[in-house]
Amino acid sequence: MTFYVKPPDGRVLLRVMEEGVNSRLKLLMLINSTIPFQTEGLIIDHLMENTMKDRISHFILRLTCLFSLDFKAFFIRAETKFFEERLSSYDWTDVYKMIQTLHRHLQEQNSLKCDSGTHTHSAIISQTCSELLQRKHLKHAFDKSHAENCREYVVIVDFQYCSSLVRRREVDLKSGKCYVHCGVWGKLLICFFRDLLSLGMEDLARSSMPQIVSRDIRLKSIVSQTLETFYRQSNLPSQSMRVTNAIKSITVDKESQFFPPCALNILKNLRHDHRLGHHARIQFSLFLKGIGLDVEEAIKFWREEYSKTPNCNEHRSNLCQHAWKKDNSRYIYNIKHLYGLKGSCKDYQSKSCLSLQSTGGKTGEGCPFVRMHPKDIVKVLPQMIVNSNGKRNSNSEILIEHIVELTSKGKPSEACKACFNAHYAAHHQTVNFNDESVFEDIHPKRENAFFVRSEPHVSEYGNYCKNECHKYELEGTTFDDTKVGSSSITDEHLNDRAASIGHFTKGLAVTNDKLSLENVSPDLPHDIEFNCPTQYYFSLKSRLLSQTRSVNSD
Ligand code: SF4
């Protein structure tokens, strides 16, 4: 049952189904995250393998994948890890039973007349299972002391059924066949699990299930709640946010106020040199694609920059010297390729932090917290952190010191998290003191946002209107500051206004006095988790957006 080849049947209470889905989602999110694994709040009943509840929760989440590609990618990744966890706790008899069940279920599935590629695939996996089902071999291969490089027994599999093992050079290849030695049979089963899961989803997408779910109000509600929880907790932009976040080539610089240091650094180099190295260009193109720049706008963006004369000196001699005029077809092809419109038609995603931290060259690509010397890191931090509040102050010094320290300790993700928190806090400060346009694109009704949110005393007395800077709103009455002294404004109004400004100023003084990040902004998102630069961008922007929204709806 651990391979989930057969969907469950029978009756189940809606409440039980919901409990199971929530528990499984929570577990998968824990498995998928980098935070320590805790089982608190999980209803383990729903996760015990070979039980009906386990199958129900798995298949309902599988249905959810039909409605979101993000969720599908997450689900395949997390379920595969879950399978890996389970497999690591098995002894050889458990593995034997598991393969036996898989073999039986695949045979049942294959006996149903079907000519699809899925059928062929599962027939081949079923054939490999029958080869694996030798007690003596399994006892040897799944013994706890069995070495990964052991080559005593071997099964032969077509290379497409264990492509990840081929990629990692863990099998011998001969005439398109892989010779999988017993040392990696566990990994072979993981490949099978992932393949069968993906194929099962393809079958599901081809079936009538998407229409059934769309028509069934109960299933529809479970699916939408699941997706809502998933997007909220994973800090991923929801599909609707991606659509509304369509950015233009001319707004890239403005959006850069939410960029992580890796993307900021590349943008800075690009604006200075008008050219990038190959890897930096790919990294930045995928980042821009991930945050909502469509292919036409991407072509415009690169055309504009690459039409300029390159500004390269001898230290940057490895930079590309091509020009748009001469090489435009090549560049357009490359951009379309990244958007999945040319060549292999693969829909490339923004690179993960892990991958960027393990690569990096001289032309600005990769993660700066790994690639740069800690004392130079300040050069790539968002300007608003460095010059928080318009000038470098004691808060900025402390934040930067903290980030530099984490960088020099070789903790790039921690350093970037600290940078995110400082970036978030600085946004509030900037909105607070200087920059009225920060939220322009985020929320049209931004007036009063920071003032109400950041300093509760202000809202008690009145809100300062940022759009029309002479007007004050006092307990529902708007009056014009330019009319001070006129009979329409009473002393009481003026006293209240003075009190509100007094409280507000006091609040700022406290903020500037206490030299810790927590005191800069008490709502810092300490739970922040991001795995790629795109998530950094969306997490920052959406958190600021939700703050603004909640303030405006108060
Ligand atoms: Fe970019 Fe990730 Fe490095 Fe942060 S940790 S700078 S988001 S690659």
Side-chain angles (χ1 to χ4, degrees), residues 260-263 283 352-354 356-357 366-369 412-413 416 530-533 536:
C262 50
Q283 180 181 330
S352 69
C353 292
L354 211 61
L356 294 173
Q357 285 164 9
C367 174
F369 293 111
S413 301
C416 193
F530 49 84
N531 303 320
C532 68
Y536 180 115

Side-chain angles (χ1 to χ4, degrees), residues 321-379:
Q321 293 287 339
H322 296 287
W324 188 270
K325 199 171 168 192
K326 182 162 62 81
D327 302 300
N328 66 63
S329 54
R330 188 177 139 232
Y331 284 123
I332 292 174
Y333 181 90
N334 284 346
I335 295 165
K336 289 191 171 174
H337 175 73
L338 293 176
Y339 278 76
L341 302 170
K342 290 279 179 198
S344 60
C345 292
K346 190 173 165 199
D347 188 19
Y348 290 94
Q349 302 297 318
S350 166
K351 298 201 178 191
S352 69
C353 292
L354 211 61
S355 131
L356 294 173
Q357 285 164 9
S358 57
T359 55
K362 291 178 183 161
T363 56
E365 70 269 22
C367 174
F369 293 111
V370 171
R371 202 176 43 75
M372 294 185 76
H373 193 280
K375 69 176 195 298
D376 292 333
I377 207 73
V378 70
K379 292 182 193 160

